[in-house]
Amino acid sequence: MREPWTPSDDPALPSGGTEILAQSLRETLEGLGVFAGGIYLVSPDEPTLVLTMLAGWPRDFVKPWERMSLSYPGPVSDTLRNDSPTWVRDSKEWVRRYPHTAVAMPYEFAIAAFPVSDDTTDYGVLFALWPGAQPEKLSPHDHDHLQKCADLLARRLGAAPEPVRPGPGPLFLRPAFDGSAEAFAARLPEGLCALDLQGHLTVVNPAGAELLGESAERLVGTHPWRVLPWLNDPAYEDQYRAAVISQKPTSFVALRPPDQWLSFRLHPDPTGITVRIAPARPAHDGPAAPADDAGTDALPVEPVRLGAIYHVVQLAATLTAAVGVRDVVDLVADQIMPAFGGQALALLTAEDGRLRVAGSRGYPPHAVRALDRTPLTAQTPGIKTLLAGVPSFFESAGELYEAYPLTGSSSGSVLRGTMSAWAFLPLIASGKPVGVCVLAFEQPHVFTPEDRNVLTSLGGLIAQALERARLYDSTNELARGLQSALLPHALPRVPGLNAAARYLPGTKGMDIGGDFYDLIPLGEGAIAAVIGDVQGHNVTAAALMGQARTAVRAYAATSDGDPGQVLERVNRLLTELDTGLFASCVYLHLDLAGGEARIARAGHPQPLLRHPDGRTEVLDIPGGLVLGVEADARYPHVRIPLPPDSVLALYTDGLIEKPGIDLDDALAELAERLALFGDQSLEGLADILARPARLAGHRADDVAVLLLRPTAARP
């Protein structure tokens, strides 16, 4: 008796490797009763997951994800990174958790992915697919079954006589097919045909062939949208994809020229699709049949298939997350390069008559140095691609030698000496060439027409992302330079006082912040200190921060030691400037000889005070409105004792505001660290208080800390 699932052969896998994967995937699918699933294995050469075996879906559906960087934001890579199962129940959850993947797979299905690993090795990921929306949680039975199958697969891979590595492409478990269906379909008077999971016609009965207007012999083995021009519309192919993925019937109406409307109803199951074809009335709201008016002399054009369209959409969505040039390079290298199986990549831009390397991955340092600063007069494929604006594809080193036999430049020699196949993509933004993307392969590589279409389209998307990133980087550099110039480069040394400060900018996605601090000697044992936060993250915020800091310095010298008066004057200034921004602030006047401080607060977090005996408290300083809102706002001040060896901690809200953490809890944690480590040097204490923010993977806001400790020595 035949197995219900039969693996395709692949000599790239070691002896027994195919059967290990096939047996494990077969047991997984039969135990769950689902229609599709697969196995990813970790590449031995790079941090990439490679789809090694697949069942239930054709390769075209998953081509964008055949190779995925471990950093790719998707359920399979998440599973291995987190070493825990992932369950995505429906399309809404896909959109919420993985929007970049959802735009390229807009169908209703669910996925469960389990890590395949043991105590020493991460082998890959085992996943299963369900049609339609599923319950919120994976059922206990299905969870236990998948966990057992993943563990068993790990043991089998660990015990294999030689390592089981990914091959050049995924293997397929093909469901058994009963050929007697042809005779059955031939007896029926209505039009019927069948598609396999790859979209090829496997059976067409005589009535179906007559309605389609072609012989069954010419139709069988082809994609209907390729052999029948009037079906060559992505909307029709989308119906086939929807049927396979959702495992639900779909239907559409199409016009067979010149005037015959046909209805198609697709009935899927895990082995393929049965299609019922019947005459229909015109469907005015359906997609029109493409007109064939190119003439007999027109060159044939290879249509871009729907899978390629979704691939470009997915990659475009990925590139929207890029902020700076480094982000563009990382996203292209981490998510786009693996999708095409490339081993090296370089993004080159044209600057001052030369090519400059904006970023690279996979090329050795000496190769990057040779590519950088290549004159635009050199005869290289990259420069020709840039100047002509036309992509170039070289499937082997021999093709490159033939096209550029006299290339003597160091960059041309490096290209030939390190890789064996290349795609040179012009980066054109707003009608102007801005650079070249070089995708390289270690082995000769065939670029299919679809690959060339997708890569050419991708070049334009990379160019747009790169232009946005370069503009962002230049603006950001200007803004950060402005902010750096406005912040004090070093705190002044004041007899009788130790001081330390730390500033941390926000992480990726932020421009600059408006956080500021200052220490202002006033003479005769008096000193002023200020910390504040201007709303916004842009050049305007930085400029307003500079004005606020300058105003504080000016008013501090004429306020007669009244912190409230200083804040009132600064507030009136910011209100008159009418920038639409506001600022929070804490200002204090410290009398070192008297051992006390007068403090006023404008909408800013409360300071912390560590007493000499180690007790720590949150100071209750009455506060007024934030600065820049109401011109007549008042700011009362309070006096607090500040004896030697006490520590006053001033900070901005970025230090304590964290997603999902209560503000009071965060403040209590900060006070506890201040109490525990307050006896250390002030520089060390500043590092300790700022460390959680420094180590955070993402800082939504800037962080500023200013610490003051009076000493026993008096001026």
Side-chain angles (χ1 to χ4, degrees), residues 667-701:
L667 186 56
E669 180 183 342
L670 179 63
E672 184 178 348
R673 289 203 304 275
L674 179 61
L676 187 61
F677 301 104
D679 289 331
Q680 297 195 17
S681 70
L682 220 55
E683 292 293 335
L685 178 60
D687 287 335
I688 290 172
L689 297 184
R691 183 175 297 137
R694 189 184 301 277
L695 297 178
H698 173 72
R699 289 190 298 274
D701 200 358

Short mmCIF file of all heavy atoms in Angstrom, two decimals, residues 667-701:
data_model
loop_
_atom_site.label_atom_id
_atom_site.label_comp_id
_atom_site.label_asym_id
_atom_site.label_seq_id
_atom_site.Cartn_x
_atom_site.Cartn_y
_atom_site.Cartn_z
N LEU A 667 9.91 54.28 39.88
CA LEU A 667 10.55 55.27 40.75
C LEU A 667 11.06 54.62 42.03
O LEU A 667 12.16 54.94 42.51
CB LEU A 667 9.55 56.38 41.07
CG LEU A 667 10.08 57.59 41.86
CD1 LEU A 667 11.26 58.21 41.14
CD2 LEU A 667 8.98 58.61 42.07
N ALA A 668 10.29 53.68 42.57
CA ALA A 668 10.73 52.96 43.77
C ALA A 668 11.99 52.15 43.48
O ALA A 668 12.91 52.07 44.33
CB ALA A 668 9.61 52.06 44.27
N GLU A 669 12.06 51.56 42.30
CA GLU A 669 13.25 50.78 41.94
C GLU A 669 14.48 51.70 41.82
O GLU A 669 15.58 51.35 42.25
CB GLU A 669 13.01 50.07 40.61
CG GLU A 669 14.18 49.22 40.13
CD GLU A 669 13.92 48.60 38.77
OE1 GLU A 669 12.74 48.53 38.37
OE2 GLU A 669 14.90 48.20 38.11
N LEU A 670 14.28 52.90 41.23
CA LEU A 670 15.38 53.85 41.12
C LEU A 670 15.86 54.29 42.51
O LEU A 670 17.07 54.37 42.77
CB LEU A 670 14.93 55.06 40.29
CG LEU A 670 15.96 56.17 40.10
CD1 LEU A 670 17.16 55.65 39.30
CD2 LEU A 670 15.34 57.37 39.39
N ALA A 671 14.92 54.56 43.41
CA ALA A 671 15.28 54.96 44.77
C ALA A 671 16.04 53.85 45.49
O ALA A 671 16.99 54.10 46.25
CB ALA A 671 14.02 55.34 45.55
N GLU A 672 15.66 52.61 45.23
CA GLU A 672 16.34 51.48 45.86
C GLU A 672 17.79 51.37 45.38
O GLU A 672 18.71 51.12 46.17
CB GLU A 672 15.57 50.19 45.55
CG GLU A 672 16.14 48.97 46.24
CD GLU A 672 15.32 47.71 45.94
OE1 GLU A 672 14.20 47.84 45.39
OE2 GLU A 672 15.81 46.61 46.26
N ARG A 673 18.01 51.59 44.09
CA ARG A 673 19.39 51.54 43.57
C ARG A 673 20.21 52.69 44.14
O ARG A 673 21.40 52.53 44.44
CB ARG A 673 19.38 51.60 42.04
CG ARG A 673 18.88 50.35 41.37
CD ARG A 673 19.40 50.23 39.94
NE ARG A 673 19.07 51.40 39.13
CZ ARG A 673 17.93 51.59 38.49
NH1 ARG A 673 16.98 50.67 38.57
NH2 ARG A 673 17.73 52.68 37.78
N LEU A 674 19.58 53.87 44.28
CA LEU A 674 20.28 55.00 44.85
C LEU A 674 20.68 54.73 46.30
O LEU A 674 21.80 55.05 46.73
CB LEU A 674 19.40 56.25 44.77
CG LEU A 674 19.97 57.54 45.36
CD1 LEU A 674 21.25 57.94 44.65
CD2 LEU A 674 18.93 58.66 45.28
N ALA A 675 19.78 54.10 47.06
CA ALA A 675 20.09 53.77 48.45
C ALA A 675 21.19 52.72 48.54
O ALA A 675 22.10 52.82 49.38
CB ALA A 675 18.82 53.27 49.15
N LEU A 676 21.15 51.73 47.65
CA LEU A 676 22.07 50.62 47.73
C LEU A 676 23.49 51.00 47.30
O LEU A 676 24.49 50.56 47.89
CB LEU A 676 21.56 49.47 46.85
CG LEU A 676 22.31 48.14 46.91
CD1 LEU A 676 22.28 47.57 48.33
CD2 LEU A 676 21.69 47.14 45.94
N PHE A 677 23.61 51.87 46.28
CA PHE A 677 24.93 52.17 45.72
C PHE A 677 25.35 53.62 45.96
O PHE A 677 26.34 54.08 45.37
CB PHE A 677 24.93 51.90 44.21
CG PHE A 677 24.60 50.48 43.85
CD1 PHE A 677 23.33 50.14 43.36
CD2 PHE A 677 25.53 49.47 44.03
CE1 PHE A 677 23.03 48.84 43.03
CE2 PHE A 677 25.23 48.16 43.70
CZ PHE A 677 23.97 47.84 43.20
N GLY A 678 24.65 54.34 46.83
CA GLY A 678 24.91 55.77 47.01
C GLY A 678 26.24 56.09 47.62
O GLY A 678 26.68 57.25 47.55
N ASP A 679 26.92 55.13 48.24
CA ASP A 679 28.22 55.41 48.85
C ASP A 679 29.37 55.37 47.83
O ASP A 679 30.50 55.73 48.17
CB ASP A 679 28.51 54.40 49.96
CG ASP A 679 27.62 54.63 51.18
OD1 ASP A 679 27.23 55.79 51.41
OD2 ASP A 679 27.31 53.65 51.89
N GLN A 680 29.09 54.91 46.62
CA GLN A 680 30.14 54.83 45.62
C GLN A 680 30.48 56.23 45.11
O GLN A 680 29.80 57.21 45.40
CB GLN A 680 29.69 53.95 44.45
CG GLN A 680 29.44 52.50 44.85
CD GLN A 680 29.36 51.60 43.63
OE1 GLN A 680 29.80 51.96 42.55
NE2 GLN A 680 28.82 50.40 43.83
N SER A 681 31.55 56.30 44.31
CA SER A 681 31.88 57.58 43.69
C SER A 681 30.70 58.05 42.85
O SER A 681 29.92 57.24 42.34
CB SER A 681 33.12 57.44 42.81
OG SER A 681 32.80 56.68 41.65
N LEU A 682 30.59 59.36 42.70
CA LEU A 682 29.44 59.89 41.98
C LEU A 682 29.45 59.47 40.51
O LEU A 682 28.39 59.22 39.93
CB LEU A 682 29.41 61.42 42.11
CG LEU A 682 28.02 62.03 42.32
CD1 LEU A 682 27.33 61.41 43.51
CD2 LEU A 682 28.11 63.54 42.49
N GLU A 683 30.62 59.38 39.91
CA GLU A 683 30.70 58.91 38.52
C GLU A 683 30.22 57.47 38.41
O GLU A 683 29.48 57.10 37.49
CB GLU A 683 32.13 59.04 37.99
CG GLU A 683 32.62 60.47 37.83
CD GLU A 683 31.87 61.20 36.72
OE1 GLU A 683 31.36 60.54 35.80
OE2 GLU A 683 31.80 62.45 36.78
N GLY A 684 30.66 56.62 39.35
CA GLY A 684 30.20 55.23 39.34
C GLY A 684 28.72 55.12 39.60
O GLY A 684 28.02 54.30 38.98
N LEU A 685 28.20 55.95 40.53
CA LEU A 685 26.77 55.93 40.81
C LEU A 685 25.97 56.36 39.59
O LEU A 685 24.91 55.78 39.30
CB LEU A 685 26.48 56.85 42.00
CG LEU A 685 25.01 56.99 42.40
CD1 LEU A 685 24.42 55.64 42.78
CD2 LEU A 685 24.87 57.99 43.56
N ALA A 686 26.46 57.37 38.86
CA ALA A 686 25.76 57.82 37.66
C ALA A 686 25.68 56.69 36.63
O ALA A 686 24.65 56.48 35.98
CB ALA A 686 26.46 59.03 37.06
N ASP A 687 26.76 55.93 36.49
CA ASP A 687 26.75 54.78 35.56
C ASP A 687 25.73 53.74 36.00
O ASP A 687 25.01 53.16 35.18
CB ASP A 687 28.13 54.15 35.47
CG ASP A 687 29.11 55.01 34.68
OD1 ASP A 687 28.65 55.79 33.83
OD2 ASP A 687 30.32 54.89 34.92
N ILE A 688 25.68 53.47 37.30
CA ILE A 688 24.76 52.46 37.82
C ILE A 688 23.30 52.87 37.59
O ILE A 688 22.47 52.07 37.16
CB ILE A 688 25.02 52.21 39.32
CG1 ILE A 688 26.36 51.49 39.50
CG2 ILE A 688 23.89 51.40 39.95
CD1 ILE A 688 26.81 51.38 40.94
N LEU A 689 22.97 54.11 37.85
CA LEU A 689 21.59 54.57 37.69
C LEU A 689 21.18 54.57 36.21
O LEU A 689 20.02 54.32 35.88
CB LEU A 689 21.41 55.96 38.29
CG LEU A 689 21.64 56.09 39.80
CD1 LEU A 689 21.32 57.51 40.27
CD2 LEU A 689 20.80 55.08 40.57
N ALA A 690 22.12 54.88 35.31
CA ALA A 690 21.79 54.95 33.89
C ALA A 690 21.89 53.60 33.18
O ALA A 690 21.42 53.46 32.05
CB ALA A 690 22.71 55.95 33.19
N ARG A 691 22.49 52.59 33.86
CA ARG A 691 22.77 51.32 33.18
C ARG A 691 21.52 50.63 32.63
O ARG A 691 21.53 50.17 31.48
CB ARG A 691 23.52 50.37 34.11
CG ARG A 691 23.90 49.03 33.43
CD ARG A 691 24.75 48.18 34.34
NE ARG A 691 26.01 48.86 34.63
CZ ARG A 691 26.56 48.92 35.83
NH1 ARG A 691 25.95 48.37 36.87
NH2 ARG A 691 27.72 49.53 36.01
N PRO A 692 20.40 50.51 33.38
CA PRO A 692 19.23 49.84 32.78
C PRO A 692 18.77 50.49 31.49
O PRO A 692 18.38 49.81 30.54
CB PRO A 692 18.17 49.95 33.89
CG PRO A 692 18.96 50.07 35.16
CD PRO A 692 20.16 50.87 34.79
N ALA A 693 18.80 51.83 31.44
CA ALA A 693 18.41 52.52 30.21
C ALA A 693 19.43 52.27 29.11
O ALA A 693 19.07 52.10 27.93
CB ALA A 693 18.26 54.01 30.48
N ARG A 694 20.71 52.24 29.47
CA ARG A 694 21.75 52.02 28.47
C ARG A 694 21.64 50.62 27.86
O ARG A 694 21.88 50.42 26.66
CB ARG A 694 23.13 52.20 29.10
CG ARG A 694 24.28 52.19 28.09
CD ARG A 694 25.62 52.27 28.81
NE ARG A 694 25.74 53.46 29.61
CZ ARG A 694 26.10 54.65 29.13
NH1 ARG A 694 26.35 54.79 27.84
NH2 ARG A 694 26.19 55.69 29.94
N LEU A 695 21.28 49.64 28.68
CA LEU A 695 21.21 48.25 28.21
C LEU A 695 19.89 47.93 27.52
O LEU A 695 19.75 46.86 26.92
CB LEU A 695 21.42 47.29 29.38
CG LEU A 695 22.79 47.36 30.07
CD1 LEU A 695 22.85 46.38 31.23
CD2 LEU A 695 23.92 47.08 29.08
N ALA A 696 18.90 48.81 27.64
CA ALA A 696 17.59 48.55 27.04
C ALA A 696 17.72 48.45 25.53
O ALA A 696 18.44 49.22 24.89
CB ALA A 696 16.59 49.64 27.41
N GLY A 697 17.03 47.48 24.94
CA GLY A 697 17.07 47.33 23.49
C GLY A 697 16.43 48.50 22.76
O GLY A 697 16.78 48.81 21.63
N HIS A 698 15.48 49.15 23.41
CA HIS A 698 14.80 50.28 22.77
C HIS A 698 14.51 51.33 23.82
O HIS A 698 13.93 51.04 24.86
CB HIS A 698 13.49 49.83 22.13
CG HIS A 698 12.66 50.96 21.59
ND1 HIS A 698 13.02 51.66 20.47
CD2 HIS A 698 11.52 51.53 22.06
CE1 HIS A 698 12.12 52.61 20.25
NE2 HIS A 698 11.21 52.55 21.19
N ARG A 699 14.97 52.56 23.57
CA ARG A 699 14.64 53.69 24.43
C ARG A 699 13.72 54.62 23.66
O ARG A 699 14.12 55.21 22.65
CB ARG A 699 15.91 54.45 24.85
CG ARG A 699 16.78 53.71 25.85
CD ARG A 699 17.87 54.63 26.40
NE ARG A 699 18.77 55.10 25.37
CZ ARG A 699 19.85 54.45 24.94
NH1 ARG A 699 20.15 53.27 25.48
NH2 ARG A 699 20.62 54.95 24.00
N ALA A 700 12.49 54.75 24.13
CA ALA A 700 11.53 55.59 23.43
C ALA A 700 11.80 57.06 23.66
O ALA A 700 11.24 57.90 22.96
CB ALA A 700 10.10 55.24 23.89
N ASP A 701 12.65 57.40 24.63
CA ASP A 701 12.91 58.80 24.94
C ASP A 701 14.37 58.95 25.37
O ASP A 701 15.04 57.98 25.73
CB ASP A 701 11.98 59.28 26.06
CG ASP A 701 11.85 60.79 26.11
OD1 ASP A 701 12.51 61.47 25.30
OD2 ASP A 701 11.08 61.29 26.95
#
